[in-house]
């Protein structure tokens, strides 16, 4: 059976289950029990039904129809992957496109049943559904896992061993972090905290796992009171070192599978703090039947985002080693393409191999994106045996990649000229370069958020009435998720999300781009560390310290578009690239680097 035939059959089987159970509408988000951005294969139910492989999307199915909502990163990819399935694509935030809530509000009729699996659906969505549809006289059922009965070859549930980080890596004892959380609980008026966000749990307790590919986290929960702290993990993940460590830190180990029964039986003596952005409906409903619920942001998220001095120093060292690997890769691909047949997948594998040889390497931080020509117009393209293009000495290759190391998480994108380029491409490449450099060199007063700064990266494109359909920057974890909140750099306003002040120690990406369907994609991404600068009568000024030191391809720059200030910024950056990276290169690589980083 073809992939297309399989997806059509899966939808029909799901609709058959809906008919058996009297369900008119069924919602399938992209999440695990912890609302993780990336999920292990066991939780890829939306992909199983629809065939769409992007990391973000929500599928809504009726008994004779299906629609999928996804964001601008995946419009092109989703159109291709959904073709022929009969699933309607809804491009989120585009003019005239209804949200899922608005669509349901218009389409559902009195007496119908809307269902979903509350273990993989967030509280925020659950509450919004209740509020928007309360006048529709419908039934909402949140305990319906319809996939289990039709997903006969479902991948195994992950359970890898958990690792304890020493203090020379974490920079702070877990007991000190736990004490800060308890203080925050007291200030907020809550008596208990349930943590379900995996990277927050790992950070709080100085643990790491590998239950989700490329994300060093373990499936877990934490329940914290003013006196006790319980860690729920799978028995298969426990090691002697973890057992000893938890005893030492006063952490009570519990079985991961018992979280619901624990919450049902616990003798509450006050309110439970939950973060509705990262809590599933089933856990919320379980607690609210027994105790008062207090919604608040996880205090761990903001503290985790502000890297301590140990973390900052380790990340500088890790980014230097990672930048060496990427620089060596660029040299290799430019020298190899004219003389040898290689493909997108060959290029990705070569870069992955360079990283694996790098000191402290643990894993990739996401699957390497190696996208040639028009494939790069898909922001999160992944080459397959069916789509794998051969690289030729013309056009451009976009490579977005990163690693997990002992001491940091990396992310970097470069768009590499392989041969002759069009004038339009070079023009767009230069606008992207200008935006990246202007943001990287920003000076701003403390109190600014990413929304204040986003215009610096977009203005060269907005001046041409162009844009890219994603944020400019996201937070980066420390041996954790490559996408980390709550900080970000984006222009759009969401009243549901708090405005996060950029603090000293926050690490963010800086990645403007241009994506022209059927032609090319361009992205230049550096990672930056937010630092305090000069303080005077006007206030505390802040700046960004670059962590990434990888050459930017001068062959693609239309220098006539650069201002004198742009040139100076590029030359200063390239001088630092040459200075920092050259000592780790062989003679041929070093000579090449000196040439490609020379003043423009």
């Amino acid at each position: 059976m073809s992939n297309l035939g399989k997806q059509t059959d899966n939808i029909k089987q799901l609709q058959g289950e809906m008919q058996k159970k009297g369900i008119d509408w069924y919602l399938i988000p992209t999440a695990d029990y912890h609302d993780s951005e990336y999920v292990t294969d066991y939780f890829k139910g939306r992909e199983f039904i629809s065939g769409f492989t992007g990391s973000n999307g929500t599928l809504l199915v009726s008994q004779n129809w299906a629609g999928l909502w996804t964001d601008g990163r995946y419009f092109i990819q989703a159109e291709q992957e959904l073709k022929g399935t009969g699933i309607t694509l809804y491009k989120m935030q585009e003019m005239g496109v209804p949200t899922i809530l608005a669509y349901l509000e218009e389409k559902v009729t009195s007496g119908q049943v809307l269902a979903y699996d509350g273990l993989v659906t967030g509280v925020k969505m659950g509450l919004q559904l209740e509020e928007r549809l309360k006048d529709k006289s419908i039934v909402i059922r949140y305990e319906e896992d319809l996939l289990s009965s039709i997903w006969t070859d479902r991948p195994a549930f992950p359970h890898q061993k958990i690792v304890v980080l020493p203090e020379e890596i974490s920079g702070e004892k877990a007991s000190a972090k736990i004490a800060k959380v308890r203080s925050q609980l007291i200030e907020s008026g809550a008596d208990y905290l349930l943590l379900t966000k995996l990277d927050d749990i790992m950070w709080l307790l100085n643990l790491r796992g590998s239950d989700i590919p490329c994300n060093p986290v373990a499936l877990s929960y934490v329940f914290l009171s003013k006196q006790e702290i319980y860690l729920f993990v799978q028995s298969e993940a426990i090691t002697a070192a973890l057992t000893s460590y938890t005893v030492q830190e006063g952490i009570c180990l519990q079985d991961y599978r018992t979280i619901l029964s624990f919450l049902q039986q616990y003798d509450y003596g006050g309110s439970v703090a939950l973060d509705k952005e990262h809590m599933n409906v089933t856990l919320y409903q379980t607690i609210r039947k027994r105790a008062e619920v207090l919604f608040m942001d996880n205090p761990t998220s903001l503290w985790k985002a502000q890297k301590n001095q140990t973390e900052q120093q380790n990340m500088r060292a890790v980014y230097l080693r990672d930048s060496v690997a990427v620089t060596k890769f660029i040299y290799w691909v430019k020298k190899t393409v004219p003389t040898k047949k290689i493909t997108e997948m060959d290029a990705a594998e070569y870069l992955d191999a360079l990283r694996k040889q790098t000191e402290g390497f643990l894993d990739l931080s996401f699957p390497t994106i190696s996208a040639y020509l028009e494939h790069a117009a898909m922001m999160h393209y992944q080459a397959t045996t069916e789509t794998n293009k051969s690289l030729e000495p013309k056009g451009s290759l976009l490579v977005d990649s990163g690693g997990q190391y002992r001491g940091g998480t990396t992310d970097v994108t470069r768009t590499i000229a392989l041969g002759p380029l069009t004038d339009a491409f070079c023009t767009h490449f230069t606008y992207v370069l200008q935006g990246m450099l202007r943001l990287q060199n920003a000076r701003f007063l403390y109190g600014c958020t990413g929304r204040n700064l986003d215009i610096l990266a977009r203005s060269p494109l907005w001046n041409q009435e162009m844009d890219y359909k994603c944020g400019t920057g996201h937070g980066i974890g420390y041996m954790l998720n490559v996408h980390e909140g709550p900080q970000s750099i984006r222009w759009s306003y969401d009243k549901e999300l708090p405005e996060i002040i950029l603090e000293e120690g926050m690490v963010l990406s800086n990645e403007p781009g241009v994506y022209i369907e059927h032609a090319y994609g361009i992205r230049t991404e550096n990672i930056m560390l937010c630092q305090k600068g000069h303080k005077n009568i006007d206030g505390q000024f802040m700046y960004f310290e670059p962590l990434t030191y990888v050459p930017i391809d001068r062959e693609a720059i239309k220098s006539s578009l650069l201002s004198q200030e742009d040139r100076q910024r590029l030359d200063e950056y390239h001088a630092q690239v040459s200075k920092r990276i050259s000592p780790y290169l062989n003679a041929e690589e070093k000579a090449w680097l000196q040439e490609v980083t020379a003043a423009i």
Side-chain angles (χ1 to χ4, degrees), residues 343-345 349 381-389:
T343 65
E344 292 171 322
M345 294 176 73
E349 289 169 5
Y381 166 79
Q382 285 294 317
T384 67
T385 53
E386 292 78 24
T387 65
N388 191 22
K389 273 184 174 292

Side-chain angles (χ1 to χ4, degrees), residues 75-105:
F75 289 168
I76 299 171
Q77 178 181 337
E79 284 178 345
Q80 294 181 4
E81 293 181 341
L82 297 179
K83 191 177 296 183
T85 63
I87 298 172
T88 303
L89 173 62
Y90 291 85
K91 298 179 178 181
M92 294 166 61
Q93 298 183 328
E94 291 292 281
M95 191 176 297
V97 176
T99 64
I100 290 179
L101 293 169
Y103 183 91
L104 282 167
E105 193 172 21

Side-chain angles (χ1 to χ4, degrees), residues 11 14-15 18 23-30 46 49-50 57-70 82 86-90 98-108 112-116 125 129 133:
I11 294 170
L14 175 62
Q15 290 169 331
M18 291 169 62
I23 295 171
D24 300 286
W25 301 89
Y26 193 68
L27 192 70
I28 308 176
T30 305
R46 184 262 298 150
I49 296 296
S50 69
T58 302
L59 183 67
L60 179 64
V61 182
S62 74
Q63 292 187 8
N64 56 17
W65 170 92
L68 184 132
W69 279 254
T70 192
L82 297 179
I87 298 172
T88 303
L89 173 62
Y90 291 85
T99 64
I100 290 179
L101 293 169
Y103 183 91
L104 282 167
E105 193 172 21
E106 178 186 350
K107 298 294 184 180
V108 298
Q112 288 192 320
V113 174
L114 167 68
Y116 56 83
M125 172 61 82
L129 287 168
L133 304 177

Side-chain angles (χ1 to χ4, degrees), residues 276-509:
K276 66 180 176 182
E277 294 290 335
H278 304 289
M279 180 68 54
N280 70 54
V281 170
T282 299
L283 293 181
Y284 162 70
Q285 294 287 3
T286 299
I287 291 173
R288 69 181 289 269
K289 293 173 184 176
R290 302 283 322 284
E292 178 188 356
V293 168
L294 176 63
F295 285 128
M296 61 179 278
D297 296 335
N298 286 340
T300 44
S301 292
L302 190 55
W303 292 329
K304 170 170 53 70
Q306 298 171 61
K307 310 302 186 266
N308 62 42
Q309 289 300 316
T310 297
E311 291 170 327
Q312 290 183 37
Q313 198 56 38
N314 287 340
M315 288 190 81
R316 290 186 184 98
V318 160
Y319 268 87
L320 178 61
R321 297 197 296 270
D322 191 78
S323 294
V324 170
V326 178
T327 301
K328 285 176 171 286
F329 166 76
I330 294 173
Y331 169 80
W332 171 82
V333 80
K334 278 181 166 288
K335 297 297 182 184
T336 304
V337 166
T339 61
K340 183 180 178 182
K341 181 179 178 181
I342 60 172
T343 65
E344 292 171 322
M345 294 176 73
D346 293 331
E349 289 169 5
Y350 189 89
L351 178 53
D352 293 350
L354 285 173
R355 276 203 170 91
K356 289 173 184 176
Q357 297 164 18
T358 301
E359 179 188 346
F361 178 84
L362 301 171
D363 195 1
L364 300 178
S365 57
F366 55 95
T368 297
I369 296 170
S370 173
Y372 183 49
L373 297 179
E374 73 274 12
H375 284 170
M378 292 180 276
M379 294 186 198
H380 285 208
Y381 166 79
Q382 285 294 317
T384 67
T385 53
E386 292 78 24
T387 65
N388 191 22
K389 273 184 174 292
S390 292
L391 308 184
E392 300 178 29
K394 64 179 181 179
S396 62
L397 174 70
L398 185 153
V399 180
D400 187 353
S401 65
Q404 297 286 2
Y405 295 89
R406 185 174 173 82
T409 300
T410 70
D411 185 5
V412 55
T413 308
R414 287 295 184 265
T415 306
I416 306 162
L418 299 183
L421 301 166
T422 66
D423 183 71
F425 180 97
C426 293
T427 297
H428 293 157
F429 184 96
T430 306
Y431 292 149
V432 169
L433 170 65
Q434 287 174 315
M436 192 281 288
L437 289 172
R438 290 173 188 182
L439 176 57
Q440 180 170 279
N441 287 273
R443 291 295 185 273
F444 54 97
L445 275 171
Y446 176 78
C448 283
T449 72
R451 202 152 68 92
N452 299 125
L453 303 183
D454 184 87
I455 184 65
L456 295 173
R458 288 185 201 265
S459 60
L461 291 168
W462 280 7
N463 288 340
Q464 308 303 316
E465 298 183 342
M466 299 178 66
D467 192 31
Y468 44 95
K469 298 185 182 301
C470 62
T472 296
H474 57 82
I476 305 281
Y478 177 76
M479 297 181 65
L480 282 171
N481 299 352
V482 73
H483 294 156
E484 176 179 274
Q487 77 276 26
S488 67
I489 301 174
R490 59 183 66 245
W491 67 267
S492 57
Y493 173 70
D494 186 341
K495 64 181 180 181
E496 297 289 331
L497 297 176
E499 289 279 320
I500 301 300
I501 292 172
L502 298 180
E503 301 279 358
E504 180 183 25
M506 285 183 170
V507 178
L508 299 107
S509 70

Side-chain angles (χ1 to χ4, degrees), residues 137-150:
S137 300
I138 68 168
V139 176
I140 298 179
R141 291 169 16 195
Y142 68 86
E143 296 178 323
E144 295 289 353
D145 175 12
L146 301 188
L147 298 185
S148 293
S149 57
I150 63 175

